[in-house]
Amino acid sequence: MTTVPEVVVTGLGATTPLGGDVPSTWQAALAGESGARPLENDWAERYDIPVTFAAQLRVAPDQVLPRPELKRMDPSAQYAVIATREAWKDAGSPEVDGDRLGAVVSSGIGGIWTTLDAWDTLREKGGRRVLPMTVPMLMPNSPVAYVSLELGARAGAHALVSACASGAEAIGYAVDMIRSGRADVVVAGGTEAAIHPMPVAAFAASRTLSTRNDDPAAASRPYDTARDGFVLGEGAGIVVLESAEHARARGARVYARIAGVGLSADGYHITSPEPSGDGQIRAMQAALADSGVAAADVHHVNAHATSTVVGDLIEARSIRGVLGPDADHVALSATKSMTGHLLGGAGALETIFAVLALHERQAPPTINVENPDPELVLDLVRDKPRALPDGPVAAINNSFGFGGHNVALLVTSV
């Protein structure tokens, strides 16, 4: 009888608005620090953009990567490579046949810096001055291409694009690669580098960004009655996934299991979530069913919770609808209150937070909640971490995206 391989997490990597790696990011999250700061340029004034802040990387890539690598990669690929190198080292640089090693790294927007810089060059200097590496740099599969080249991953290199659910869907696809026997080890996650005046202006025009310019650190406030939109962030999160058998054979340290993957689509609206939460509910139910974990064993949820007026409450009601009375013992964290919204990188970074929450038995806090929305139907972790119980526990990480993409990942302790 053929059994489905169990998938475990053996390596973590990140570069974020809170820190240049996973340990610094995690410690800043536990401390309740905000990564939101005034923009380090004069974009807003020059282009009359009503938002003057964002959650930019804490450690700039030019402090980590050599100049030749910086020149040939879009920032979205730079972030992915930085996070991959940390994750791979953290996993103990596993020896694996390249034919059994996969890579799945996604971005919601792709190489927008390269695209727009090339367009400026074309208009201002002519077509002969456009760089020959422009297309390989702007491709949405560029980050995963560089990751697969670096590691010699030949089992498959994929870049799923599902807006702000991209990073989580990448991890879900990687789980399927291992379960189906296509790979023993897969490097997976998401990346985004969209803090550029055009996307900032576009998000501002759609009224999805907070305009709390006078206090950026307090701008991302999921579930607070004064929430007014999300804070645009940037960065990458990467995990190393392995079959449990492969990890066991090499004596690898295991953080947690990715035990369930749930996917659905709203089929409702290009930007708004379906009001009843039906798609989100189906994604979480599918993740629970896929894992075989009972609702009673879920003790932590890292919510998508972007700090938009409508979206946060739809998700909270959806979680309550899925878990029912068992939601009473769930510690709910909304980590975008600190990191901002990393778009295609968000789902991967928040999966890392869920993994560490179980590994270290600490649910990270949600900051800036001064007046909780009275319609919130869940137990929100506020201001400081909360201890999770001993013994086997599970967590759900939710990621949702424009276009109605819904991804729920079910993580269990080891």
Side-chain angles (χ1 to χ4, degrees):
M1 183 177 73
T2 302
T3 58
V4 177
E6 185 179 72
V7 179
V8 298
V9 183
T10 58
L12 305 174
T15 182
T16 78
L18 297 180
D21 54 22
V22 169
S24 59
T25 295
W26 179 240
Q27 289 308 311
L30 293 180
E33 298 178 9
S34 171
R37 295 177 288 277
L39 288 167
E40 299 168 352
N41 44 60
D42 62 353
W43 294 346
E45 181 178 351
R46 195 186 329 159
Y47 298 114
D48 190 26
I49 299 172
V51 177
T52 62
F53 63 98
Q56 297 177 287
L57 280 190
R58 181 60 60 93
V59 178
D62 62 7
Q63 297 182 41
V64 182
L65 297 176
R67 184 171 174 76
E69 288 188 322
L70 293 168
K71 289 182 67 175
R72 71 170 186 260
M73 290 189 284
D74 181 83
S76 60
Q78 295 169 15
Y79 304 170
V81 167
I82 290 169
T84 295
R85 287 174 180 170
E86 182 192 3
W88 193 250
K89 182 179 180 182
D90 188 50
S93 303
E95 293 185 7
V96 54
D97 184 340
D99 291 346
R100 302 294 301 164
L101 172 62
V104 191
V105 180
S106 297
S107 172
I109 293 181
I112 194 161
W113 274 95
T114 298
T115 302
L116 297 176
D117 284 353
W119 175 238
D120 287 344
T121 298
L122 177 66
R123 287 188 307 166
E124 296 168 7
K125 301 178 181 178
R128 294 180 185 276
R129 298 292 296 275
V130 174
L131 296 174
M133 281 292 288
T134 297
V135 171
M137 291 171 67
L138 65 82
M139 301 184 308
N141 62 316
S142 183
V144 75
Y146 278 109
V147 167
S148 65
L149 289 168
E150 170 137 337
L151 299 178
R154 301 188 297 270
H158 307 280
L160 296 91
V161 177
S162 48
C164 303
S166 297
E169 188 161 0
I171 293 172
Y173 190 85
V175 170
D176 284 345
M177 287 183 72
I178 294 172
R179 286 175 169 178
S180 65
R182 293 172 55 200
D184 296 319
V185 182
V186 182
V187 176
T191 183
E192 203 73 84
I195 302 179
H196 178 286
M198 195 283 280
V200 174
F203 278 124
S206 67
R207 300 181 183 276
T208 53
L209 291 182
S210 170
T211 56
R212 196 178 288 258
N213 295 318
D214 57 342
D215 192 4
S220 185
R221 41 201 316 119
Y223 307 116
D224 186 86
T225 53
R227 64 191 183 279
D228 67 338
F230 70 83
V231 174
L232 186 60
E234 62 180 354
I238 298 290
V239 298
V240 176
L241 304 180
E242 295 185 52
S243 70
E245 180 181 5
H246 191 276
R248 193 162 43 243
R250 70 181 187 89
R253 178 266 327 277
V254 172
Y255 285 103
R257 304 180 190 88
I258 306 293
V261 179
L263 309 174
S264 74
D266 283 349
Y268 173 74
H269 193 273
I270 192 65
T271 58
S272 299
E274 198 279 324
S276 75
D278 171 71
Q280 299 175 10
I281 289 171
R282 287 187 286 110
M284 285 183 271
Q285 288 175 332
L288 280 166
D290 186 40
S291 68
V293 169
D297 295 323
V298 177
H299 286 266
H300 174 55
V301 172
N302 196 311
H304 183 64
T306 60
S307 186
T308 58
V309 175
V310 176
D312 293 359
L313 289 181
I314 292 175
E315 181 184 12
R317 296 184 193 115
S318 299
I319 295 167
R320 170 63 69 175
V322 170
L323 300 179
D326 292 311
D328 291 342
H329 64 245
V330 167
L332 181 72
S333 299
T335 49
K336 287 186 181 74
S337 62
M338 298 171 285
T339 65
H341 191 352
L342 274 56
L343 306 181
L349 177 60
E350 289 155 18
T351 300
I352 291 173
F353 285 154
V355 166
L356 287 174
L358 298 188
H359 185 66
E360 298 196 0
R361 306 286 168 162
Q362 292 191 90
T366 305
I367 65 170
N368 299 326
V369 184
E370 298 171 358
N371 298 293
D373 193 311
E375 295 188 45
L376 178 64
V377 291
L378 298 167
D379 184 8
L380 185 64
V381 181
R382 295 172 57 186
D383 300 327
K384 60 183 181 181
R386 183 182 302 172
L388 295 176
D390 295 332
V393 290
I396 293 174
N397 178 47
N398 282 335
S399 294
F400 311 131
F402 278 2
H405 306 279
N406 305 302
V407 180
L409 298 177
L410 195 298
V411 186
T412 61
S413 59
V414 293

